[in-house]
């Protein structure tokens, strides 16, 4: 059986997403500073944006993490909104 959708409406139900590279590039172009993948991951976690399993986990049970600075947090949130990952 062959299934071909008549139009792309079914895609509208799926959440939007952007790669880490796209988010970091957008922040750099619009805010003039760089953010790390670690910061992007922290904010994704904060908003409950599901990520795939990370295979490069720390070996320690209590790893020390850098906390995303407020100005970078706001820029990442703006990028999420831009890419439709969260609501305005």
């Amino acid at each position: 059986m062959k299934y071909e959708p008549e139009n792309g409406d079914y895609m509208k139900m799926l959440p939007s997403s952007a790669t880490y590279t796209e988010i970091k590039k957008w922040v750099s172009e619009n805010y003039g500073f760089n953010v790390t993948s670690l910061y992007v991951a922290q904010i994704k976690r904060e908003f409950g944006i599901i990520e795939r399993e990370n295979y490069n986990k720390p070996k320690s049970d209590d790893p020390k993490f850098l906390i995303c600075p407020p100005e970078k947090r706001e820029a990442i949130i703006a990028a999420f909104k831009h890419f439709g990952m969260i609501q305005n």
Side-chain angles (χ1 to χ4, degrees):
M1 175 177 226
K2 198 173 192 179
Y3 173 76
E4 292 186 30
E6 294 179 19
N7 57 41
D9 287 344
Y10 69 97
M11 293 295 289
K12 293 177 184 173
M13 296 170 40
L14 299 174
S16 296
S17 189
T19 65
Y20 281 75
T21 302
E22 291 170 328
I23 293 167
K24 293 189 306 185
K25 181 179 177 189
W26 189 89
V27 168
S28 178
E29 290 173 353
N30 289 276
Y31 285 82
F33 54 75
N34 295 323
V35 294
T36 65
S37 294
L38 173 67
Y39 291 159
V40 174
Q42 285 178 3
I43 308 306
K44 283 179 91 172
R45 210 171 305 117
E46 179 182 329
F47 280 87
I49 299 172
I50 298 175
E51 302 181 75
R52 68 174 192 256
E53 182 70 22
N54 181 1
Y55 297 102
N56 189 18
K57 293 182 179 179
K59 295 181 182 12
S60 168
D61 288 337
D62 186 26
K64 305 296 181 210
F65 291 107
L66 297 175
I67 303 298
C68 185
E71 66 278 2
K72 292 188 177 190
R73 179 183 179 277
E74 294 305 317
I76 293 168
I77 292 170
F80 289 175
K81 290 177 182 177
H82 171 78
F83 289 109
M85 297 169 69
I86 60 174
Q87 299 296 318
N88 288 332

